[in-house]
Amino acid sequence: RKMETIHIEEKQRFKEIAFYILLGLVQILFLWGLIQQVIFNKPWGTKPAGDIVLIVINFGIFSLIILFFSISLKTWITDKYISFRMFPFQIRKKVIEWSEIQSGKIVKYNGIKEYWGYGFKYMPGKGWCYTISGDFGIRIMLKNGEKILIGTHIAKEISQVFDNLKNRGIINIID
């Protein structure tokens, strides 16, 4: 069995700096409240929450920061398949062999209008969406009727790889 050649490997991360700054400021505020109330024994606010509530809120905000920091979308295109994994929502990568695809193309899309935002989600009529940010993606229709959109920041390079695979007779289903 011949080893497949990887033509593209793209890794995207959630990099919304303003989001991290806002969440970080909220974390600092609640951490300050926790320190005031638990360590210095000064009630925080006019109607202070219980210590356990402040601990849970701090843990929740910190967990949210870690979650968003860990989100990544990795895409591979080889001679045999296209595959992707949106970590931490998918443990294993999803592999779609070229023979399973009815059609596909690079598209410009509006994540907010078409999918009500970015991320890993299902939209009736549109199918599965795996996006981090941006407005370009690989839209795929499988022979079984499933629709998938995989976001990309390197649409031009992927288009060149698709052209190369078409010219070599490996695929004929990608526009």
Side-chain angles (χ1 to χ4, degrees), residues 120-174:
F120 166 57
K121 60 182 76 175
Y122 180 81
M123 292 295 290
K126 297 250 180 218
W128 287 99
C129 166
Y130 302 85
T131 58
I132 298 266
S133 65
D135 54 2
F136 284 95
I138 306 164
R139 190 167 303 215
I140 298 171
M141 167 74 97
L142 299 182
K143 289 178 180 173
N144 68 9
E146 185 179 346
K147 298 175 184 175
I148 299 170
L149 176 77
I150 307 164
T152 183
H153 289 155
I154 56 171
K156 195 174 288 185
E157 292 91 333
I158 289 176
S159 186
Q160 290 169 347
V161 167
F162 286 161
D163 287 344
N164 178 315
L165 292 172
K166 275 194 273 190
N167 291 340
R168 292 176 42 217
I170 294 172
I171 61 172
N172 62 359
I173 38 68
I174 302 287

Side-chain angles (χ1 to χ4, degrees), residues 48-171:
D51 294 353
I52 299 297
V53 171
L54 282 176
I55 290 168
V56 168
I57 289 171
N58 273 279
F59 179 77
I61 296 168
F62 183 73
S63 298
L64 206 55
I65 291 170
I66 297 300
L67 170 69
F68 277 94
F69 197 74
S70 71
I71 292 174
S72 68
L73 174 60
K74 197 162 183 183
T75 306
W76 298 266
I77 298 174
T78 76
D79 287 342
K80 306 230 181 260
Y81 58 78
I82 183 168
S83 66
F84 55 92
R85 180 177 80 161
M86 188 161 218
F87 184 82
F89 308 109
Q90 291 175 291
I91 302 303
R92 288 188 293 240
K93 68 181 181 179
K94 180 168 176 71
V95 177
I96 304 169
E97 297 198 12
W98 295 118
S99 61
E100 298 174 64
I101 299 175
Q102 179 178 315
S103 66
K105 60 184 169 184
I106 302 286
V107 295
K108 186 169 177 144
Y109 71 98
N110 184 318
I112 306 296
K113 285 183 182 175
E114 292 183 53
Y115 293 94
W116 298 6
Y118 297 94
F120 166 57
K121 60 182 76 175
Y122 180 81
M123 292 295 290
K126 297 250 180 218
W128 287 99
C129 166
Y130 302 85
T131 58
I132 298 266
S133 65
D135 54 2
F136 284 95
I138 306 164
R139 190 167 303 215
I140 298 171
M141 167 74 97
L142 299 182
K143 289 178 180 173
N144 68 9
E146 185 179 346
K147 298 175 184 175
I148 299 170
L149 176 77
I150 307 164
T152 183
H153 289 155
I154 56 171
K156 195 174 288 185
E157 292 91 333
I158 289 176
S159 186
Q160 290 169 347
V161 167
F162 286 161
D163 287 344
N164 178 315
L165 292 172
K166 275 194 273 190
N167 291 340
R168 292 176 42 217
I170 294 172
I171 61 172

Side-chain angles (χ1 to χ4, degrees), residues 15-55:
K15 296 185 209 174
E16 298 299 322
I17 301 301
F19 176 80
Y20 286 122
I21 289 170
L22 179 63
L23 213 50
L25 290 172
V26 170
Q27 176 70 71
I28 289 168
L29 177 70
F30 277 94
L31 188 57
W32 174 249
L34 181 67
I35 290 167
Q36 284 288 307
Q37 193 160 302
V38 174
I39 295 175
F40 296 121
N41 209 17
K42 287 183 176 175
W44 187 57
T46 56
K47 292 184 180 178
D51 294 353
I52 299 297
V53 171
L54 282 176
I55 290 168

